[in-house]
């Protein structure tokens, strides 16, 4: 697959065209941004970890019937994905109150929600991704009623699957953000999961200590972001720890002496 010209550059990823108009290459950068681009840094290795973690999660979601854009991971930083038209909405699912929810509504940080809470935000950096309602989505024709129901159902399935997957490795899925895209197929448009699911887009806390293993390490200046992401990858059994792979010591075989009969 030949890599073509850059068609979009976001805060953490670049999208390149390919020789097939239906496929694009998604490149994961090391750039970290927060608070609508006010805080920026480059964190060595973050893109590689997100590429690998997102590939693992999207592959697993596909296996349980949640259609998504991933075709395959190409290398350390790139994935081949379906070319979709991204719906301009960020879909947020929360299991535990934290972040903007606690600030906005004064809910105590760490409150476990009785039911997962879905929020919609308009994907618009200039406006600071404002919270919107289902009525806004319908009024401005970003999606129709049927599409909203479909996506809400997918969100519940994604949340169930991810919660189970992370719980199994001692991690609480606090909240996450996903994006969906439209894919033209045989004259009709399907909606599929797109973008990425990684510690950049989820809040992940250690199940016993509540230690943050996600992008909040950057947002809150906690340090050791890469170590947090590595911990997630290690627990998901997808990190083949380089430092544990020591070169085998080569020692010259000793000459074997045979006793003379
Ligand atoms: P909050 O609204 O509390 O800031 O974020 C809720 C969840 O959505 C968190 O897991 C956060 O990482 C994710 N999220 C919300 N907006 C964005 C965004 O613009 N970029 C990324 N990477 N994640 C986001």
């Amino acid at each position: 697959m030949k890599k073509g010209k850059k068609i979009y550059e976001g805060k953490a990823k670049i999208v390149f065209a390919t020789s097939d108009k239906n496929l694009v290459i998604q490149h994961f950068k090391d750039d970290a941004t927060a608070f609508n681009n006010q805080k920026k840094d480059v964190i060595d290795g973050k893109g590689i970890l997100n590429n690998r973690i997102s590939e693992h999660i999207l592959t697993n979601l596909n296996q349980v019937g949640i259609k998504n854009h991933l075709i395959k991971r190409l290398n350390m930083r790139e994935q081949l994905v379906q070319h979709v038209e991204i719906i301009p909405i960020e879909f947020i699912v929360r299991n535990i109150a934290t972040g903007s929810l606690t600030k906005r509504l004064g809910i105590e940080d760490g409150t476990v929600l009785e039911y997962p809470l879905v929020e919609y935000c308009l994907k618009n950096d200039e406006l600071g991704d404002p919270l919107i309602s289902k009525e806004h989505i319908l009024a401005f024709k970003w999606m129709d009623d049927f599409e909203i129901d479909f996506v809400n159902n997918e969100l519940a399935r994604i949340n169930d699957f991810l919660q189970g997957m992370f719980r199994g490795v001692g991690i609480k899925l606090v909240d996450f953000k996903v994006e969906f895209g439209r894919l033209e197929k045989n004259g009709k448009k399907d909606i599929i999961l797109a973008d990425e699911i990684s510690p950049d887009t989820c809040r992940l806390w250690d199940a016993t200590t509540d230690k943050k293993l996600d992008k909040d390490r950057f947002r809150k200046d906690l340090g050791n972001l890469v170590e947090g992401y590595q911990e997630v990858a290690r627990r998901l059994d997808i990190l083949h720890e380089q430092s544990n792979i020591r070169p085998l010591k080569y020692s010259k075989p000793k000459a074997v002496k045979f006793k003379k009969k």
Side-chain angles (χ1 to χ4, degrees):
M1 186 63 54
K2 220 172 142 228
K3 189 162 152 186
K5 63 174 196 281
K6 181 160 90 177
I7 49 180
Y8 166 81
E9 179 155 4
K11 287 174 279 185
K13 291 188 293 294
I14 308 173
V15 177
F16 295 93
T18 70
S19 40
D20 181 338
K21 69 172 177 33
N22 298 314
L23 301 175
V24 290
I25 291 171
Q26 180 167 257
H27 174 106
F28 288 76
K29 300 194 282 185
D30 280 342
D31 299 30
T33 63
F35 314 118
N36 207 12
N37 247 344
Q38 284 169 35
K39 183 172 175 170
K40 290 186 203 178
D41 205 349
V42 176
I43 299 173
D44 264 359
K46 180 177 83 77
I48 293 172
L49 282 153
N50 282 344
N51 183 19
R52 191 67 189 84
I53 294 170
S54 192
E55 176 209 12
H56 177 79
I57 293 177
L58 266 57
T59 302
N60 278 277
L61 286 173
N62 189 45
Q63 282 164 4
V64 295
I66 294 165
K67 286 191 194 155
N68 62 70
H69 72 161
L70 180 71
I71 305 287
K72 63 173 178 179
R73 184 166 63 87
L74 295 171
N75 54 48
M76 298 283 269
R77 290 198 179 267
E78 292 172 331
Q79 303 178 342
L80 187 65
V81 299
Q82 310 241 41
H83 192 184
V84 297
E85 177 203 326
I86 291 284
I87 296 171
I89 295 168
E90 296 190 341
F91 299 89
I92 294 173
V93 181
R94 300 178 186 272
N95 299 307
I96 298 174
T98 193
S100 71
L101 175 68
T102 54
K103 287 196 198 98
R104 207 185 319 122
L105 303 179
I107 310 290
E108 194 184 339
D109 199 280
T111 306
V112 177
L113 304 172
E114 204 167 326
Y115 299 102
L117 177 67
V118 173
E119 290 177 341
Y120 312 110
C121 293
L122 182 65
K123 207 172 132 60
N124 184 321
D125 284 342
E126 275 167 40
L127 302 175
D129 299 340
L131 185 70
I132 52 172
S133 67
K134 179 177 172 177
E135 283 66 33
H136 290 102
I137 300 178
L138 292 171
F140 301 109
K141 298 191 170 39
W142 289 312
M143 294 166 85
D144 64 27
D145 241 325
F146 176 82
E147 291 176 327
I148 298 174
D149 284 350
F150 172 79
V151 166
N152 282 344
N153 196 46
E154 292 290 90
L155 292 174
R157 294 175 66 205
I158 296 166
N159 189 40
D160 274 355
F161 180 84
L162 293 185
Q163 269 195 310
M165 185 187 83
F166 282 121
R167 198 179 296 132
V169 294
I171 292 175
K172 289 184 206 171
L173 176 66
V174 174
D175 56 29
F176 63 92
K177 181 266 302 184
V178 282
E179 295 180 21
F180 288 84
R182 290 193 178 85
L183 184 68
E184 182 122 28
K185 226 179 170 182
N186 307 327
K188 75 178 194 41
K189 283 193 174 172
D190 272 353
I191 290 188
I192 61 169
L193 178 66
D195 193 51
E196 68 174 294
I197 300 183
S198 71
D200 260 16
T201 60
C202 301
R203 283 200 177 92
L204 303 167
W205 294 355
D206 177 85
T208 42
T209 63
D210 279 352
K211 181 180 168 186
K212 293 168 174 54
L213 303 170
D214 57 68
K215 198 172 149 188
D216 271 357
R217 300 209 69 80
F218 171 71
R219 295 187 187 104
K220 293 173 178 273
D221 288 322
L222 300 173
N224 297 334
L225 176 130
V226 162
E227 287 75 5
Y229 288 28
Q230 278 175 341
E231 181 63 29
V232 174
R234 193 177 298 116
R235 291 196 199 183
L236 293 174
D237 207 18
I238 53 175
L239 184 76
H240 301 287
E241 187 63 80
Q242 293 299 318
S243 55
N244 286 345
I245 307 171
R246 299 211 174 84
L248 287 173
K249 276 189 193 150
Y250 177 78
S251 49
K252 217 175 157 187
K254 284 182 188 142
V256 182
K257 286 180 185 163
F258 293 97
K259 278 184 187 165
K260 277 185 189 160
K261 278 190 184 166

